[in-house]
Amino acid sequence: MKRVSAFLGAAALMMSSALANDTSAVLTTGGLEFVNNAQVVMESEDLYISRDEIRVTYVFRNDSDEDQDLLVAFPMPDIVPDHFSPVAFPTGPADNLFEFKTMFNGEPVEATLHEYAYAAGVDRTKLLQKLNLPIVPISQEAIDAVDALDDETAAELLHLGMAMPDEFDAGEGWEKHHWPNWTYRATYTWEAHFPAGERVTVEHSYKPSVGGTVGVSFLAEPYEDWDPAAEYKQKYCTDDAFLNAVRNTLKNPDEPYSAPFFENWISYILTTGGNWAGGGIEKFRLVIDKGEPENLVSFCGEGVKKIGPTTFEMVKEDFWPREELNILILDRHDEEY
């Protein structure tokens, strides 16, 4: 696929085919499984993404001559705890961490939340339940509970990659603590009725999980087995125009971390959209809002145009989900622009 870049004002943009979608699903004895549906088409999707909110509106069309009653699923991006980085995790209540809201044909829908805990690629949800540990690893309840575990249980979690040790001296001698280290995975589901030959509208809104760093990391030279510039180019499609825009702000040209920005990362699950009839979206519209005019943004795609001081749009027809969407927003923090 051809990759196209555009340097628009204070933002550098590159995008590749990507979209965000509901999917159909079934509940099995092994948990939630996403499945294909050959009767219901995703006619359109209108997706808005910012650091503060994600909103999406779908129009589905049942092309069959029979009503379809489906379990619809909306998977959320994983939450991987990082207790030492400035990650803006969702702060909703324990039973709706993302403050997820759904409307079906204009009426509120009560979605069911399915939660899982993974460590080293293994589902450890039942172990957390056995130990009576909160499943959301970034919650203060989980942090306190893991730190209060007895030595034997803490050692078990360390062995399984579910806890991370932390030792420090705060002035009163060395202390040893443990932090939750499992990945939180969540999917919302609800039952939906798709009348034969008719269209229905589904709307979602929720608070995203926004990762980040203090300073800019991708201008650094490669070291050991990590090349930050190459990784960011692959993940966010950062091009020369974007990199030069950042370099031009360096307070010290010899200090790659001196650019006056904080990194913000947003991920959105896209590929589950291929589970609807036809495998794609007849009309797809994406709007990315970088927050402030002086901020920079980079993500992967094509055909992007600026539609406002902080917003950028991509519109596609017969759009096929191929990969997930990753967005890099550089939040400018100095007072001299």
mmCIF file of all heavy atoms in Angstrom, residues 50-72:
data_model
loop_
_atom_site.group_PDB
_atom_site.id
_atom_site.type_symbol
_atom_site.label_atom_id
_atom_site.label_comp_id
_atom_site.label_asym_id
_atom_site.label_seq_id
_atom_site.Cartn_x
_atom_site.Cartn_y
_atom_site.Cartn_z
ATOM 1 N N SER A 50 -9.473 11.689 20.207
ATOM 2 C CA SER A 50 -8.646 12.698 20.856
ATOM 3 C C SER A 50 -8.082 12.084 22.126
ATOM 4 O O SER A 50 -8.400 10.950 22.481
ATOM 5 C CB SER A 50 -9.468 13.950 21.186
ATOM 6 O OG SER A 50 -10.352 13.697 22.269
ATOM 7 N N ARG A 51 -7.253 12.846 22.827
ATOM 8 C CA ARG A 51 -6.707 12.341 24.088
ATOM 9 C C ARG A 51 -7.770 12.249 25.170
ATOM 10 O O ARG A 51 -7.626 11.488 26.126
ATOM 11 C CB ARG A 51 -5.567 13.246 24.565
ATOM 12 C CG ARG A 51 -4.326 13.190 23.705
ATOM 13 C CD ARG A 51 -3.306 14.208 24.155
ATOM 14 N NE ARG A 51 -3.838 15.561 24.088
ATOM 15 C CZ ARG A 51 -3.192 16.641 24.502
ATOM 16 N NH1 ARG A 51 -1.994 16.516 25.041
ATOM 17 N NH2 ARG A 51 -3.736 17.839 24.393
ATOM 18 N N ASP A 52 -8.843 13.023 25.028
ATOM 19 C CA ASP A 52 -9.858 13.091 26.075
ATOM 20 C C ASP A 52 -11.046 12.177 25.838
ATOM 21 O O ASP A 52 -11.719 11.766 26.781
ATOM 22 C CB ASP A 52 -10.364 14.533 26.213
ATOM 23 C CG ASP A 52 -9.255 15.499 26.589
ATOM 24 O OD1 ASP A 52 -8.416 15.139 27.435
ATOM 25 O OD2 ASP A 52 -9.228 16.607 26.021
ATOM 26 N N GLU A 53 -11.316 11.858 24.569
ATOM 27 C CA GLU A 53 -12.529 11.095 24.282
ATOM 28 C C GLU A 53 -12.412 10.404 22.930
ATOM 29 O O GLU A 53 -11.785 10.919 22.001
ATOM 30 C CB GLU A 53 -13.747 12.023 24.267
ATOM 31 C CG GLU A 53 -15.070 11.312 24.055
ATOM 32 C CD GLU A 53 -16.248 12.264 24.000
ATOM 33 O OE1 GLU A 53 -16.078 13.408 23.534
ATOM 34 O OE2 GLU A 53 -17.349 11.853 24.417
ATOM 35 N N ILE A 54 -13.029 9.239 22.841
ATOM 36 C CA ILE A 54 -13.214 8.550 21.573
ATOM 37 C C ILE A 54 -14.714 8.401 21.348
ATOM 38 O O ILE A 54 -15.440 7.949 22.234
ATOM 39 C CB ILE A 54 -12.520 7.179 21.561
ATOM 40 C CG1 ILE A 54 -11.000 7.369 21.597
ATOM 41 C CG2 ILE A 54 -12.922 6.367 20.328
ATOM 42 C CD1 ILE A 54 -10.207 6.089 21.625
ATOM 43 N N ARG A 55 -15.164 8.815 20.156
ATOM 44 C CA ARG A 55 -16.573 8.677 19.783
ATOM 45 C C ARG A 55 -16.645 7.976 18.430
ATOM 46 O O ARG A 55 -15.865 8.276 17.525
ATOM 47 C CB ARG A 55 -17.255 10.046 19.660
ATOM 48 C CG ARG A 55 -17.231 10.893 20.910
ATOM 49 C CD ARG A 55 -18.160 12.094 20.767
ATOM 50 N NE ARG A 55 -17.869 12.900 19.590
ATOM 51 C CZ ARG A 55 -17.064 13.964 19.592
ATOM 52 N NH1 ARG A 55 -16.447 14.326 20.709
ATOM 53 N NH2 ARG A 55 -16.871 14.652 18.484
ATOM 54 N N VAL A 56 -17.591 7.065 18.307
ATOM 55 C CA VAL A 56 -17.750 6.363 17.037
ATOM 56 C C VAL A 56 -19.230 6.099 16.793
ATOM 57 O O VAL A 56 -19.975 5.743 17.710
ATOM 58 C CB VAL A 56 -16.936 5.047 17.015
ATOM 59 C CG1 VAL A 56 -17.331 4.127 18.148
ATOM 60 C CG2 VAL A 56 -17.062 4.346 15.677
ATOM 61 N N THR A 57 -19.649 6.334 15.548
ATOM 62 C CA THR A 57 -21.026 6.072 15.130
ATOM 63 C C THR A 57 -21.001 5.135 13.933
ATOM 64 O O THR A 57 -20.310 5.394 12.943
ATOM 65 C CB THR A 57 -21.753 7.373 14.743
ATOM 66 O OG1 THR A 57 -21.772 8.255 15.871
ATOM 67 C CG2 THR A 57 -23.181 7.082 14.306
ATOM 68 N N TYR A 58 -21.735 4.033 14.041
ATOM 69 C CA TYR A 58 -21.842 3.065 12.954
ATOM 70 C C TYR A 58 -23.267 3.053 12.406
ATOM 71 O O TYR A 58 -24.228 3.252 13.149
ATOM 72 C CB TYR A 58 -21.565 1.638 13.440
ATOM 73 C CG TYR A 58 -20.285 1.423 14.187
ATOM 74 C CD1 TYR A 58 -20.275 1.359 15.581
ATOM 75 C CD2 TYR A 58 -19.085 1.233 13.513
ATOM 76 C CE1 TYR A 58 -19.108 1.127 16.275
ATOM 77 C CE2 TYR A 58 -17.911 1.000 14.201
ATOM 78 C CZ TYR A 58 -17.925 0.952 15.585
ATOM 79 O OH TYR A 58 -16.764 0.721 16.275
ATOM 80 N N VAL A 59 -23.386 2.760 11.119
ATOM 81 C CA VAL A 59 -24.666 2.389 10.524
ATOM 82 C C VAL A 59 -24.501 0.981 9.971
ATOM 83 O O VAL A 59 -23.639 0.731 9.118
ATOM 84 C CB VAL A 59 -25.094 3.359 9.408
ATOM 85 C CG1 VAL A 59 -26.373 2.853 8.737
ATOM 86 C CG2 VAL A 59 -25.310 4.759 9.975
ATOM 87 N N PHE A 60 -25.302 0.043 10.496
ATOM 88 C CA PHE A 60 -25.286 -1.338 10.033
ATOM 89 C C PHE A 60 -26.529 -1.599 9.177
ATOM 90 O O PHE A 60 -27.597 -1.029 9.419
ATOM 91 C CB PHE A 60 -25.285 -2.311 11.211
ATOM 92 C CG PHE A 60 -24.016 -2.296 12.018
ATOM 93 C CD1 PHE A 60 -23.932 -1.571 13.199
ATOM 94 C CD2 PHE A 60 -22.905 -3.013 11.610
ATOM 95 C CE1 PHE A 60 -22.775 -1.555 13.950
ATOM 96 C CE2 PHE A 60 -21.739 -3.011 12.348
ATOM 97 C CZ PHE A 60 -21.672 -2.276 13.525
ATOM 98 N N ARG A 61 -26.392 -2.487 8.215
ATOM 99 C CA ARG A 61 -27.509 -2.839 7.335
ATOM 100 C C ARG A 61 -27.616 -4.354 7.231
ATOM 101 O O ARG A 61 -26.640 -5.032 6.899
ATOM 102 C CB ARG A 61 -27.289 -2.235 5.945
ATOM 103 C CG ARG A 61 -28.466 -2.412 4.989
ATOM 104 C CD ARG A 61 -28.146 -1.846 3.611
ATOM 105 N NE ARG A 61 -27.122 -2.622 2.912
ATOM 106 C CZ ARG A 61 -25.908 -2.162 2.602
ATOM 107 N NH1 ARG A 61 -25.545 -0.932 2.940
ATOM 108 N NH2 ARG A 61 -25.046 -2.936 1.961
ATOM 109 N N ASN A 62 -28.791 -4.860 7.511
ATOM 110 C CA ASN A 62 -29.042 -6.293 7.393
ATOM 111 C C ASN A 62 -29.520 -6.589 5.974
ATOM 112 O O ASN A 62 -30.650 -6.275 5.610
ATOM 113 C CB ASN A 62 -30.092 -6.721 8.422
ATOM 114 C CG ASN A 62 -30.374 -8.213 8.372
ATOM 115 O OD1 ASN A 62 -29.802 -8.947 7.568
ATOM 116 N ND2 ASN A 62 -31.277 -8.668 9.232
ATOM 117 N N ASP A 63 -28.653 -7.176 5.165
ATOM 118 C CA ASP A 63 -28.984 -7.442 3.766
ATOM 119 C C ASP A 63 -29.740 -8.749 3.566
ATOM 120 O O ASP A 63 -30.102 -9.089 2.432
ATOM 121 C CB ASP A 63 -27.696 -7.479 2.925
ATOM 122 C CG ASP A 63 -27.170 -6.083 2.615
ATOM 123 O OD1 ASP A 63 -27.938 -5.119 2.782
ATOM 124 O OD2 ASP A 63 -25.994 -5.962 2.213
ATOM 125 N N SER A 64 -29.984 -9.492 4.629
ATOM 126 C CA SER A 64 -30.687 -10.763 4.486
ATOM 127 C C SER A 64 -32.195 -10.543 4.578
ATOM 128 O O SER A 64 -32.671 -9.448 4.885
ATOM 129 C CB SER A 64 -30.232 -11.740 5.569
ATOM 130 O OG SER A 64 -30.769 -11.377 6.827
ATOM 131 N N ASP A 65 -32.956 -11.600 4.322
ATOM 132 C CA ASP A 65 -34.416 -11.515 4.420
ATOM 133 C C ASP A 65 -34.920 -12.048 5.755
ATOM 134 O O ASP A 65 -36.111 -12.324 5.911
ATOM 135 C CB ASP A 65 -35.075 -12.268 3.259
ATOM 136 C CG ASP A 65 -34.628 -13.722 3.170
ATOM 137 O OD1 ASP A 65 -33.866 -14.168 4.059
ATOM 138 O OD2 ASP A 65 -35.032 -14.419 2.217
ATOM 139 N N GLU A 66 -34.005 -12.191 6.723
ATOM 140 C CA GLU A 66 -34.376 -12.635 8.062
ATOM 141 C C GLU A 66 -33.779 -11.689 9.100
ATOM 142 O O GLU A 66 -32.681 -11.152 8.911
ATOM 143 C CB GLU A 66 -33.868 -14.058 8.323
ATOM 144 C CG GLU A 66 -34.490 -15.123 7.437
ATOM 145 C CD GLU A 66 -33.979 -16.515 7.772
ATOM 146 O OE1 GLU A 66 -33.076 -16.609 8.641
ATOM 147 O OE2 GLU A 66 -34.471 -17.483 7.182
ATOM 148 N N ASP A 67 -34.507 -11.504 10.198
ATOM 149 C CA ASP A 67 -33.957 -10.723 11.306
ATOM 150 C C ASP A 67 -32.718 -11.425 11.859
ATOM 151 O O ASP A 67 -32.634 -12.661 11.851
ATOM 152 C CB ASP A 67 -34.992 -10.573 12.421
ATOM 153 C CG ASP A 67 -36.166 -9.697 12.016
ATOM 154 O OD1 ASP A 67 -36.117 -9.111 10.916
ATOM 155 O OD2 ASP A 67 -37.122 -9.610 12.807
ATOM 156 N N GLN A 68 -31.774 -10.632 12.345
ATOM 157 C CA GLN A 68 -30.550 -11.168 12.927
ATOM 158 C C GLN A 68 -30.429 -10.686 14.371
ATOM 159 O O GLN A 68 -30.453 -9.481 14.633
ATOM 160 C CB GLN A 68 -29.324 -10.710 12.128
ATOM 161 C CG GLN A 68 -29.327 -11.122 10.672
ATOM 162 C CD GLN A 68 -29.143 -12.613 10.494
ATOM 163 O OE1 GLN A 68 -28.368 -13.250 11.222
ATOM 164 N NE2 GLN A 68 -29.851 -13.184 9.525
ATOM 165 N N ASP A 69 -30.336 -11.627 15.298
ATOM 166 C CA ASP A 69 -30.093 -11.311 16.701
ATOM 167 C C ASP A 69 -28.668 -11.737 17.030
ATOM 168 O O ASP A 69 -28.348 -12.927 17.007
ATOM 169 C CB ASP A 69 -31.092 -12.022 17.606
ATOM 170 C CG ASP A 69 -32.502 -11.505 17.408
ATOM 171 O OD1 ASP A 69 -32.730 -10.312 17.662
ATOM 172 O OD2 ASP A 69 -33.367 -12.299 16.985
ATOM 173 N N LEU A 70 -27.817 -10.754 17.329
ATOM 174 C CA LEU A 70 -26.389 -11.016 17.466
ATOM 175 C C LEU A 70 -25.853 -10.505 18.792
ATOM 176 O O LEU A 70 -26.363 -9.523 19.351
ATOM 177 C CB LEU A 70 -25.608 -10.328 16.337
ATOM 178 C CG LEU A 70 -25.987 -10.688 14.900
ATOM 179 C CD1 LEU A 70 -25.205 -9.817 13.934
ATOM 180 C CD2 LEU A 70 -25.720 -12.159 14.634
ATOM 181 N N LEU A 71 -24.822 -11.175 19.265
ATOM 182 C CA LEU A 71 -24.029 -10.657 20.368
ATOM 183 C C LEU A 71 -22.947 -9.770 19.756
ATOM 184 O O LEU A 71 -22.078 -10.246 19.030
ATOM 185 C CB LEU A 71 -23.393 -11.794 21.170
ATOM 186 C CG LEU A 71 -22.545 -11.360 22.369
ATOM 187 C CD1 LEU A 71 -23.419 -10.713 23.439
ATOM 188 C CD2 LEU A 71 -21.791 -12.549 22.953
ATOM 189 N N VAL A 72 -23.020 -8.479 20.018
ATOM 190 C CA VAL A 72 -22.067 -7.518 19.465
ATOM 191 C C VAL A 72 -20.995 -7.238 20.511
ATOM 192 O O VAL A 72 -21.295 -7.076 21.702
ATOM 193 C CB VAL A 72 -22.772 -6.213 19.058
ATOM 194 C CG1 VAL A 72 -21.773 -5.217 18.482
ATOM 195 C CG2 VAL A 72 -23.868 -6.503 18.041
#
